[in-house]
Amino acid sequence: EIVAAVEAFFAGTDRPLAGRRALVTSGPTYEPIDPVRYIANRSSGKQGHAIAAALARLGAHVTLVSGPTREPTPPGVTLVPIETAVEMLAACRAALPADVAVCAAAVADWRVAEAAGQKVKKTGGAPPTLSLIENPDILATLSAAGPDRPRLVVGFAAETENVVAHATEKRRRKGCDWILANDVAPETGTFGGDANTIHLIDAAGVEHWPTSTKLAVAERLARRIDAYFGEGKA
Amino acid sequence: EIVAAVEAFFAGTDRPLAGRRALVTSGPTYEPIDPVRYIANRSSGKQGHAIAAALARLGAHVTLVSGPTREPTPPGVTLVPIETAVEMLAACRAALPADVAVCAAAVADWRVAEAAGQKVKKTGGAPPTLSLIENPDILATLSAAGPDRPRLVVGFAAETENVVAHATEKRRRKGCDWILANDVAPETGTFGGDANTIHLIDAAGVEHWPTSTKLAVAERLARRIDAYFGEGKA
């Protein structure tokens, strides 16, 4: 009975993204300071993993490039585990061409200029100063014109203030097609939590989604991606 | 049958640490840079949680002060979850008096001098420089003479080179009784892995333990702590 249900599911007609290739990034990146210490972003990977799962359920061939998370790899999704932003960019490039890229990872903007090969010792003197250098911008790189640009590039903007204004500016700066903006101020409980309030920003303006679970956000996004390709086919 | 076995276990005679209070620290600390970013140490919490479990099995009343980990709280252990080193120290002080303290957490040596209240934005200019200040030294604080000093204070030294020399010096500097030193160079797989090679350093010298699982290291340490109190009782 279960086998039959699974077979029916995978053979089902509701797989409109069959034949489409999707690239999804998820989780944090870890940027090493030395072999023991690192800088990270708070990201549970729940939203990115849920998007990968939703796209796979609609039939897409999904590559999920993810930093360290507690989330299980969704069924039918190919996981490429990475730690740093530099590794994530290389894995994303290797996953191209793709029809759609969804950048849900919380990529560290900066890494330590020179990670130490040995553990940095407390010397009793002044604490070290960490010199940071900018990481590659994965969303902007994927959005840059070129033969390999996915037809639809979707980014996230985690903001703590002026959410829509910051995200609208981010969309313009990055060159992506859609930005899903959310408010991650500590009092919202978005980080590590299950709920998310999304504002979708595209060329046409802003669409406010009702607060819902990260699973429902993923499902809605996957359906909207499907609709986008459906319109394009017409 | 299971109930009987559980009752026999808890009523069993092999609970030589019954009546003893133990404080165990475990996991990493997260030191915020801003609401989104943090500095952390690599620590799975496996060793610290295993030690808490082993001490509880021998009958001790165990308080486990731990940073974020994936490890389940061992049965019979009181968990105090924390994020930062400052929070860990406060929780440790609150758990005193204790007969034994085992500091297995990978506490960040430094924190950011002034964590930002809002997300630090990429401005297109130079990356920010992080000014660090020293965190409280939890092992040294617990080891400092005073009426509340646990009779036995045990520290860990995670080293990537000159393991025994660094750890011997650390024992002297911190004022603790025992140091369990291990080699965490990336090629050893100690971080996140299940195996550990321990060198126990006390006033008498160095004892090299065979490479074994973190569970076996915890069991051996708990037995040695019991022996220490046994000798003291004689």
Side-chain angles (χ1 to χ4, degrees):
Chain A
E1 196 177 9
I2 292 172
V3 171
V6 169
E7 281 176 355
F9 175 81
F10 281 109
T13 51
D14 191 22
R15 294 171 61 72
L17 290 177
R20 299 277 180 197
R21 290 173 57 92
L23 163 63
V24 179
T25 70
S26 185
T29 64
Y30 283 8
E31 307 295 335
I33 297 171
D34 63 22
V36 180
R37 304 178 181 92
Y38 61 94
I39 297 178
N41 275 3
R42 289 180 197 271
S43 170
S44 63
K46 284 180 182 175
Q47 188 63 79
H49 278 56
I51 291 166
L55 290 169
R57 279 196 303 272
L58 293 190
H61 178 281
V62 181
T63 300
L64 174 62
V65 178
S66 180
T69 79
R70 304 185 188 199
E71 293 296 302
T73 304
V77 165
T78 303
L79 176 72
V80 182
I82 56 82
E83 284 221 335
T84 69
V86 168
E87 291 166 1
M88 180 172 276
L89 178 59
C92 286
R93 283 190 198 276
L96 296 181
D99 297 288
V100 54
V102 180
C103 296
V107 181
D109 289 321
W110 302 287
R111 66 179 183 277
V112 177
E114 286 199 49
Q118 300 295 339
K119 186 178 174 186
V120 178
K121 310 295 288 183
K122 264 204 296 197
T123 55
T129 296
L130 294 182
S131 293
L132 303 179
I133 57 174
E134 211 162 308
N135 263 329
D137 188 323
I138 293 168
L139 179 58
T141 303
L142 292 176
S143 298
D148 272 348
R149 187 196 195 274
R151 210 165 106 205
L152 179 63
V153 178
V154 182
F156 273 76
E159 304 289 344
T160 54
E161 52 183 352
N162 301 328
V163 174
V164 169
H166 276 150
T168 302
E169 161 60 17
K170 181 172 182 176
R171 177 181 172 277
R172 193 199 55 70
R173 202 170 63 242
K174 303 288 186 179
C176 61
D177 302 294
W178 299 351
I179 286 272
L180 272 63
N182 58 358
D183 187 341
V184 297
E187 62 273 21
T188 65
T190 302
F191 277 126
D194 289 318
N196 216 346
T197 306
I198 293 288
H199 314 275
L200 188 152
I201 291 144
D202 65 6
V206 187
E207 195 179 294
H208 302 282
W209 291 5
T211 297
S212 58
T213 65
K214 290 181 179 178
L215 292 177
V217 166
E219 190 64 32
R220 185 166 181 155
L221 176 62
R223 293 281 168 197
R224 213 171 180 298
I225 288 170
D226 172 42
Y228 177 88
F229 284 115
E231 288 162 19
K233 274 182 230 158
Chain B
E1 195 180 8
I2 291 172
V3 172
V6 170
E7 280 176 356
F9 175 81
F10 282 108
T13 52
D14 190 23
R15 293 172 60 75
L17 290 176
R20 299 280 180 195
R21 290 174 56 93
L23 163 63
V24 179
T25 71
S26 185
T29 63
Y30 283 8
E31 307 295 335
I33 297 171
D34 63 22
V36 181
R37 305 180 182 92
Y38 60 95
I39 297 177
N41 275 2
R42 289 180 197 272
S43 171
S44 64
K46 284 181 182 175
Q47 188 63 79
H49 278 57
I51 291 165
L55 290 168
R57 279 196 302 272
L58 293 190
H61 178 281
V62 180
T63 300
L64 174 62
V65 178
S66 179
T69 80
R70 304 184 188 199
E71 293 296 302
T73 304
V77 165
T78 302
L79 176 72
V80 182
I82 55 84
E83 282 221 338
T84 69
V86 168
E87 291 166 1
M88 181 172 274
L89 178 60
C92 286
R93 283 190 198 277
L96 297 180
D99 298 287
V100 55
V102 180
C103 297
V107 181
D109 290 320
W110 303 288
R111 67 178 181 278
V112 177
E114 286 199 53
Q118 300 296 339
K119 186 179 175 186
V120 178
K121 311 294 289 182
K122 265 203 298 196
T123 56
T129 296
L130 294 183
S131 293
L132 303 178
I133 58 174
E134 211 162 309
N135 262 329
D137 188 323
I138 293 167
L139 179 59
T141 304
L142 292 176
S143 298
D148 272 348
R149 186 196 194 275
R151 210 165 106 207
L152 179 63
V153 178
V154 182
F156 273 77
E159 304 289 347
T160 53
E161 53 183 351
N162 301 328
V163 174
V164 169
H166 277 150
T168 303
E169 162 60 16
K170 179 172 183 176
R171 179 181 170 278
R172 193 198 55 69
R173 201 170 64 243
K174 304 286 186 179
C176 61
D177 302 295
W178 300 351
I179 286 272
L180 272 64
N182 58 359
D183 187 340
V184 296
E187 63 272 20
T188 65
T190 303
F191 277 126
D194 289 318
N196 217 346
T197 306
I198 293 288
H199 314 274
L200 189 151
I201 291 145
D202 66 6
V206 187
E207 198 179 291
H208 301 283
W209 292 7
T211 297
S212 57
T213 65
K214 291 180 179 178
L215 292 177
V217 165
E219 191 63 33
R220 184 165 182 156
L221 176 63
R223 294 280 166 196
R224 211 168 182 298
I225 289 170
D226 172 43
Y228 177 88
F229 284 115
E231 286 161 19
K233 274 181 230 159

